[in-house]
């Protein structure tokens, strides 16, 4: 059913909470696990120096997160690919990566926020789920974990 599963990670508790679900799905379906971390450069202007500085600042942290997921997957004999670091608006970068890698399922964490202001600040996870061409498994962070 699923041959290629993507787990986008950003260092948040919600993303970390989704990793075991992605590992379990990959193991269940004998699927390859893809990992991407996005450096959000979507709010910067076109200044190349500013963008480069932002990318360098978060690149090391992103690489460490990606390598951690790959190591966890390999310990469970799950096929992995080299993790990737992308840049741009996170929801767009994740969807683009999923399209380029022919991903079948995206597993993402979410805080599950609600309320009157929620429509004004929709989450990256919701934006990916709303516009992705593949199923998105949204793993909600428990209330006691928030």
């Amino acid at each position: 059913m699923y041959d290629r599963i993507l787990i986008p990670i950003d260092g948040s508790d919600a993303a970390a909470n989704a990793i075991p679900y992605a590992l379990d799905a990959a193991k269940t379906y004998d699927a390859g696990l893809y990992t991407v971390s996005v450096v959000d450069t979507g709010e910067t202007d076109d200044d190349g120096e500013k963008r480069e500085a932002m990318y360098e600042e978060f690149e090391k942290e992103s690489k460490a997160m990606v390598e951690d997921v790959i190591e966890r997957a390999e310990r469970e004999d799950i096929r992995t690919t080299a993790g990737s670091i992308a840049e741009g608006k996170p929801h767009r970068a994740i969807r683009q990566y999923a399209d380029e890698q022919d991903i079948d399922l995206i597993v993402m964490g979410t805080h599950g926020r609600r309320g009157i202001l929620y429509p004004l600040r929709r989450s990256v996870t919701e934006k990916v789920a709303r516009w992705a061409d593949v199923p998105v498994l949204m793993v909600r962070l428990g209330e006691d974990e928030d």
Side-chain angles (χ1 to χ4, degrees):
M1 177 173 251
Y2 301 114
D3 293 320
R4 297 169 181 234
I5 297 174
L6 174 61
I7 177 77
I9 54 175
D10 63 3
S12 69
D13 290 341
N17 190 53
I19 293 169
Y21 292 87
L23 294 171
D24 186 56
K27 196 167 201 170
T28 298
Y29 293 105
D30 192 30
L33 186 67
Y34 292 68
T35 310
V36 67
S37 181
V38 180
V39 177
D40 186 353
T41 57
E43 297 301 317
T44 62
D45 54 21
D46 291 332
D47 183 357
E49 288 180 29
K50 206 181 252 188
R51 182 177 301 257
E52 184 67 27
M54 181 181 287
Y55 188 83
E56 286 177 11
E57 179 180 344
F58 294 108
E59 184 180 26
K60 286 182 184 177
E61 184 179 333
S62 293
K63 280 184 179 180
M65 289 186 296
V66 166
E67 288 171 4
D68 179 60
V69 172
I70 291 171
E71 287 172 14
R72 289 172 66 177
E74 288 175 348
R75 283 194 301 265
E76 296 189 36
D77 294 324
I78 295 169
R79 290 182 289 124
T80 61
T81 65
S84 296
I85 311 296
E87 67 175 279
K89 289 204 175 262
H91 65 282
R92 290 185 183 142
I94 292 166
R95 289 193 335 261
Q96 181 178 350
Y97 182 86
D99 289 344
E100 290 170 357
Q101 299 301 321
D102 199 24
I103 297 296
D104 302 308
L105 174 68
I106 302 171
V107 180
M108 295 183 72
T110 183
H111 288 280
R113 293 196 172 103
R114 291 175 244 150
I116 195 162
L117 294 177
Y118 178 70
L120 300 175
R121 38 169 226 237
R122 296 204 191 278
S123 72
V124 170
T125 302
E126 183 180 340
K127 289 176 184 177
V128 170
R130 183 176 298 268
W131 300 104
D133 293 329
V134 298
V136 177
L137 172 61
M138 295 188 291
V139 180
R140 186 173 176 190
L141 186 63
E143 289 180 23
D144 58 332
E145 298 170 284
D146 199 12

